[in-house]
Amino acid sequence: MKLLDDVREVLPTDRDAATLVGRVHDPQEAGPSVVAVRGDELVDLSDTVPTLTDLLEHRDPVGLARGAAPRKSWPLASVLDATVDGGPGPRLLAPADLQVLKAAGVTFVKSMLERVIEERAAGDVTRSAEIREQVESAIGGTLAAIRPGSEEARAVKEVLVRDGLWSQYLEVGLGPDPEIFTKAPLLAAVGAGAEIGIAEGSDWNNPEPEVALAIRSDGRIVAATLGNDVNLRDVEGRSALLLPKAKDNNASASLGPFLRLFDDGFGLDDVRNLDVRLEVRGEDGFVLDGHSSMREISRDPEELAASALGPHHQYPDGLILYTGTLFAPTEDRGAPGKGFTHQVGDVVRISTPKLGTLANRVNRSERCPQWTFGVRSLLANLVHRGLL
């Protein structure tokens, strides 16, 4: 099964108006290069900014992306072909390098309820349908309009505690403090076209299609991209203390295809109004096709950014922040009542017209290419190329 029917789906529909930057693996350099899309070419900006972090921290990222002298260039179509179809030549990497990879959880009501269900099922997928009906009948219709941290939210908490329905997931979904966690180490995310990983032993898991924000060290949000915050529902359901095991595995974080920089034609208000599509197509003929809207997020992106970075915590190289997902697929796949879970070979496509399409194929984490290119390798490669 092809990752995409047309490699041009990788790009935003208004690509000629977009300021797109990212990273490619350059086989000739045996390492990554910072790139920008200019017309039908992908230009290497590494002479000016050896890391993507350097570009984002620059006083004028948009001007640099549009005007810096290129070190070399490639036909954009060739890079997209290699990325999607696995051909020779440079291919896209995740558009992040020295930024910390963080994620916000429980920022949409539907996914919040699914977390409560996971917790009450203790990771047992066979109990999910029964518990979902119980939870939704009790609280599902009352939460969508409640602002987290408000007096109304505190009043709802009192009722749910009284009725024995309060949960740690409702605490971060409705309480004053959002859940912000570390999704993956530096350089561990995979990009468009790569395999994404589900760890061995998990029988209940799902994609989490999200909009991700690039946030500078000064707290300014400067770009957006798409992400897949792959989750092992059975593992997290056993205990929230197993969140690192559920979230951080080889190839379990994908980002891309490009960062779209905020400029005169695209900004945070556009992000607030994005509609995101999730498609999952399995080798067994299974098809999942759903949509979500950033308009339904319970905490504004600026609130999430301020919760991650500020006087309480600094990130000198900035961060990438997954903003949370509305999707928690519940339709049965296989035996009735067991809900959705991935199978090896699934093709996952996350898309929105303003950011393009992030497409990956599912494999077990243990079988995905091992992550071997870390910070030391990056620094050594940049020094060898005379870029540091």
Side-chain angles (χ1 to χ4, degrees):
M1 186 188 315
K2 298 176 65 174
L3 279 177
L4 292 172
D5 296 325
D6 187 335
V7 296
R8 289 173 294 185
E9 296 176 53
V10 167
L11 300 168
T13 54
D14 61 341
R15 73 165 209 178
D16 291 336
T19 308
L20 303 174
V21 298
R23 298 165 63 240
V24 301
H25 173 75
D26 183 350
Q28 291 185 347
E29 306 275 12
S33 294
V34 178
V35 295
V37 176
R38 294 184 187 168
D40 293 327
E41 289 194 323
L42 201 60
V43 299
D44 180 355
L45 305 180
S46 298
D47 271 345
T48 305
V49 280
T51 69
L52 193 56
T53 301
D54 290 313
L55 187 151
L56 298 180
E57 293 289 324
H58 191 270
R59 59 180 176 77
D60 183 13
V62 173
L64 191 153
R66 292 176 176 175
R71 189 167 189 255
K72 63 172 75 171
S73 65
W74 304 275
L76 177 59
S78 297
V79 176
L80 297 183
D81 283 337
T83 298
V84 173
D85 297 328
R91 66 181 187 278
L92 292 179
L93 299 171
D97 42 38
L98 299 182
Q99 302 96 334
V100 177
L101 301 176
K102 306 290 283 190
V106 201
T107 55
F108 289 85
V109 168
K110 182 178 178 181
S111 62
M112 175 171 62
L113 296 180
E114 288 302 314
R115 293 294 178 266
V116 175
I117 291 162
E118 289 169 14
E119 179 184 42
R120 291 182 173 271
D124 183 358
V125 65
T126 62
R127 300 181 57 211
S128 62
E130 171 194 349
I131 296 170
R132 182 174 297 107
E133 182 177 354
Q134 174 192 4
V135 171
E136 287 181 348
S137 64
I139 62 177
T142 65
L143 302 180
I146 297 177
R147 184 169 58 86
S150 66
E151 288 296 329
E152 186 181 12
R154 281 190 281 273
V156 169
K157 176 178 179 177
E158 290 179 6
V159 172
L160 295 174
V161 169
R162 182 197 65 198
D163 293 345
L165 289 171
W166 191 248
S167 160
Q168 57 200 336
Y169 294 105
L170 293 173
E171 175 64 45
V172 295
L174 295 176
D177 299 311
E179 178 189 21
I180 306 287
F181 59 91
T182 300
K183 170 61 182 176
L186 307 184
L187 295 168
V190 299
E195 290 183 326
I196 51 172
I198 304 293
E200 294 279 7
S202 173
D203 298 317
W204 188 20
N205 46 67
N206 63 276
E208 292 194 359
E210 307 188 14
V211 174
L213 306 172
I215 308 171
R216 290 162 39 126
S217 61
D218 60 5
R220 180 181 162 203
I221 305 171
V222 293
T225 190
L226 293 168
N228 189 347
D229 174 17
V230 177
N231 183 48
L232 309 184
R233 299 189 69 184
D234 45 5
V235 174
E236 185 178 358
R238 282 160 41 207
S239 171
L241 295 180
L242 292 173
L243 183 68
K245 183 177 178 65
K247 291 287 191 177
D248 184 7
N249 296 289
N250 184 42
S252 66
S254 67
L255 286 168
F258 294 98
L259 285 177
R260 182 165 185 172
L261 297 180
F262 291 176
D263 55 23
D264 292 340
F266 179 79
L268 195 54
D269 282 341
D270 295 282
V271 170
R272 292 184 175 109
N273 287 288
L274 290 176
D275 293 314
V276 178
R277 181 182 184 185
L278 168 68
E279 299 173 85
V280 179
R281 298 183 180 275
E283 295 178 346
D284 59 348
F286 176 86
V287 176
L288 183 153
D289 193 344
H291 295 77
S292 68
S293 173
M294 285 291 287
R295 292 182 291 276
E296 296 182 45
I297 199 167
S298 58
R299 299 184 193 266
D300 187 76
E302 286 189 321
E303 178 187 351
L304 295 175
S307 296
L309 183 152
H312 63 291
H313 203 313
Q314 294 75 52
Y315 292 93
D317 298 309
L319 67 144
I320 301 292
L321 179 64
Y322 292 77
T323 57
T325 188
L326 173 63
F327 282 106
T330 58
E331 59 191 84
D332 288 337
R333 183 181 193 180
K338 288 198 171 183
F340 172 86
T341 195
H342 269 308
Q343 292 184 12
V344 170
D346 282 354
V347 169
V348 182
R349 300 169 184 164
I350 300 167
S351 61
T352 190
K354 294 286 187 179
L355 298 177
T357 301
L358 173 62
N360 302 100
R361 194 182 306 276
V362 173
N363 203 344
R364 289 295 182 179
S365 293
E366 293 79 359
R367 302 177 211 164
C368 291
Q370 292 188 350
W371 173 45
T372 59
F373 196 91
V375 175
R376 288 188 305 156
S377 297
L378 174 63
L379 295 177
N381 179 264
L382 295 176
V383 168
H384 177 73
R385 293 157 63 181
L387 300 176
L388 284 184

